[in-house]
Amino acid sequence: MILDNLPNKKLVSALKASAALDIELCKDEYLRCFSYKANWAPGIDVASYENGGGDEIVIVIKGDAILIKGFDHESEVSPHAQE
């Protein structure tokens, strides 16, 4: 799958599938990395990934608009990676 040509519907499907698989494969809720909250607010869905090590992605979906915010704690541009 080429990410620069990824339609919003396929991204949303992949996010929902990741959250569903995480529920099925990991019975301990606190160990799950993926989540998908439909109707987090009226007309807004929120998906997220947190690996427990400080890295996270939050994806906000409203209609055809998608906002993605990510944080990599080991990135050279992270304020936490500076001495």
Side-chain angles (χ1 to χ4, degrees), residues 18-35 48-52:
S18 296
L21 281 171
D22 215 7
I23 289 169
E24 290 299 317
L25 298 175
C26 185
K27 299 301 178 192
D28 296 322
E29 186 174 351
Y30 71 96
L31 293 174
R32 295 178 190 153
C33 296
F34 295 93
S35 73
S48 65
Y49 170 82
E50 294 182 52
N51 68 358

Side-chain angles (χ1 to χ4, degrees), residues 3-23:
L3 292 179
D4 61 351
N5 290 326
L6 183 66
N8 288 356
K9 286 184 179 184
K10 282 192 176 184
L11 176 61
V12 171
S13 291
L15 293 168
K16 287 179 180 179
S18 296
L21 281 171
D22 215 7
I23 289 169

Side-chain angles (χ1 to χ4, degrees), residues 11-79:
L11 176 61
V12 171
S13 291
L15 293 168
K16 287 179 180 179
S18 296
L21 281 171
D22 215 7
I23 289 169
E24 290 299 317
L25 298 175
C26 185
K27 299 301 178 192
D28 296 322
E29 186 174 351
Y30 71 96
L31 293 174
R32 295 178 190 153
C33 296
F34 295 93
S35 73
Y36 192 94
K37 295 175 182 83
N39 282 326
W40 177 79
I44 298 173
D45 293 355
V46 175
S48 65
Y49 170 82
E50 294 182 52
N51 68 358
D55 302 326
E56 69 178 19
I57 298 173
V58 177
I59 301 143
V60 180
I61 304 140
K62 182 174 181 177
D64 290 335
I66 293 179
L67 172 70
I68 300 173
K69 176 206 164 260
F71 180 75
D72 174 8
H73 78 282
E74 292 181 357
S75 170
E76 61 189 37
V77 297
S78 169

